[in-house]
Amino acid sequence: MRKLFFAGLAVLGMLAAGQASAEEWPTHTLTMVNPFAAGGPNDVPARLFAQRMGEILGQTIIVENVGGAGGMNGAERVVKATPDGYTFLQGTVGTQAQNQTLYKKPLYDSTKDFVSVGLFLEVPLVLVVRKDLPVNSMKEFVAYAKANQDKMQFASAGTGSAIHLGCALMNSVAGLDVTHVPYRGSNPAMQDIVSGRVDYLCDIVTSAKPQIDSSQVKAIAVLDDARSSALPDVPTAVEQGFNVKAYTWNAFFLPKGTPDAIVQKLNHAMIEAMKTPELRQRMDALGLKIVSEDRATPAYLDGFVQSEIAKWSTLIKTSGISVD
């Protein structure tokens, strides 16, 4: 009985210590893992949110870039981290949804190995074409592509990247069969669109905006059902009669086993950052859409990830796209 009594006290002591630790969190620097190379389109929101959330939490948040394997190396870094709230992931549609089907052996189960914190950004893709392609609308583009698809090519940031799958979705909806040319990143892909070596690209609005604004490429459609604040004069695919919604998104995740009190604190910091006028203005200018607060909850993100896995798995399996 005495052993049981003292064992019970020990368990209660550990629970109390864990609760106190969660209540005091954070007491030192946090690490936000961005699972892509520095300087890419995911770096901008990562660093802006890290700075503002750090101010709200009263601790510095450093951004650690861990690239490779379509973002899975960085995501796995968080899966293996101590679940104490000090290491968290800025996940995307690729790391949390598309890679689960795209890779034959994904490094983790995104529905079981993470704790959802919250969705905070959505970023639509935009269809751009070389400036001398004789089309100016989705209808003209699809008609031209169908007539010339045996000699056309579309670019991407690499096989299985979000912008590859975005174009694959558009091609599927439009009934196109065009040769895919993968590049090592969106920048070299865009350079070859500008130079006219390839015909079209479905790029992230943020990345494509400078080339669109300078008329180095033509923007045909934002692949969404709402126009982008960064490209207000570019009509959407939906309003042009093509039901194509292709995008990436950003959300925060913690390792499985992180105490709920810490999850809620990090979610609160994220939502307060989303409300910051200066940050909202910066996101808006870049075409990064901050989601509504009702979609920024852990529960919403849980269901959203599952629905995204289902959506993209259908396209990936039908198209026969895979990565070893």
Side-chain angles (χ1 to χ4, degrees):
M1 287 295 292
R2 284 173 61 84
K3 288 183 179 178
L4 287 174
F5 174 75
F6 286 115
L9 286 179
V11 171
L12 289 173
M14 287 188 290
L15 290 173
Q19 183 176 356
S21 177
E23 289 174 355
E24 294 166 1
W25 183 91
T27 60
H28 57 82
T29 299
L30 293 83
T31 297
M32 178 196 297
V33 175
N34 175 21
F36 300 98
N42 286 291
D43 233 24
V44 175
R47 295 183 188 280
L48 290 174
F49 269 83
Q51 180 180 346
R52 183 66 187 114
M53 289 169 65
E55 293 169 354
I56 293 164
L57 291 168
Q59 295 291 342
T60 299
I61 299 178
I62 61 171
V63 176
E64 180 182 313
N65 295 90
V66 184
M72 286 199 298
N73 287 347
E76 187 186 35
R77 152 99 166 83
V78 175
V79 168
K80 293 180 176 179
T82 302
D84 56 8
Y86 287 99
T87 302
F88 64 103
L89 173 71
Q90 180 188 237
T92 68
V93 64
T95 64
Q96 307 307 115
Q98 295 167 341
N99 288 352
Q100 294 296 288
T101 305
L102 184 65
Y103 284 80
K104 294 177 181 178
K105 294 181 180 180
L107 300 179
Y108 48 81
D109 185 329
S110 64
T111 64
K112 296 178 180 178
D113 294 336
F114 296 92
V115 175
S116 294
V117 176
L119 178 70
F120 63 99
L121 282 180
E122 287 182 320
V123 192
L125 304 186
V126 57
L127 168 64
V128 299
V129 302
R130 55 183 171 84
K131 62 184 178 183
D132 60 342
L133 201 73
V135 301
N136 293 291
S137 69
M138 276 295 290
K139 283 189 177 181
E140 290 178 1
F141 168 77
V142 172
Y144 180 89
K146 284 185 174 179
N148 297 278
Q149 60 187 4
D150 59 329
K151 57 187 177 183
M152 290 181 71
Q153 298 177 320
F154 76 93
S156 83
T159 300
S161 63
I163 63 178
H164 172 209
L165 295 177
C167 255
L169 177 63
M170 185 203 68
N171 289 341
S172 175
V173 171
L176 303 178
D177 183 12
V178 176
T179 299
H180 170 227
V181 181
Y183 289 77
R184 293 176 68 93
S186 60
N187 287 339
M190 178 60 80
Q191 288 169 12
D192 271 11
I193 296 290
V194 171
S195 65
R197 292 190 182 93
V198 284
D199 299 291
Y200 64 98
L201 169 70
C202 300
D203 202 2
I204 297 170
V205 163
T206 317
S207 302
K209 180 175 168 57
Q211 287 76 25
I212 294 170
D213 289 346
S214 60
S215 300
Q216 295 181 78
V217 297
K218 286 195 286 190
I220 301 301
V222 171
L223 304 182
D224 200 359
D225 56 2
R227 293 197 182 196
S228 168
S229 58
L231 301 170
D233 297 328
V234 180
T236 69
V238 173
E239 68 183 277
Q240 295 185 71
F242 294 85
N243 188 26
V244 182
K245 298 178 186 177
Y247 44 75
T248 185
W249 44 259
N250 300 71
F252 292 130
F253 299 86
L254 285 159
K256 179 182 178 181
T258 303
D260 185 61
I262 291 175
V263 176
Q264 296 304 323
K265 281 188 178 182
L266 192 60
N267 175 264
H268 172 76
M270 180 195 79
I271 290 174
E272 290 303 304
M274 288 164 58
K275 293 178 181 177
T276 306
E278 295 81 8
L279 190 148
R280 293 186 71 90
Q281 290 168 9
R282 183 72 187 278
M283 295 294 105
D284 198 51
L286 293 169
L288 306 174
K289 298 194 300 183
I290 291 180
V291 305
S292 57
E293 200 169 323
D294 62 306
R295 299 180 64 213
T297 66
Y300 178 87
L301 184 54
D302 280 342
F304 182 67
V305 168
Q306 291 179 359
S307 68
E308 287 289 275
I309 291 172
K311 171 182 175 173
W312 293 105
S313 68
T314 300
L315 172 72
I316 291 166
K317 291 174 181 177
T318 301
S319 303
I321 302 168
S322 66
V323 180
D324 290 331

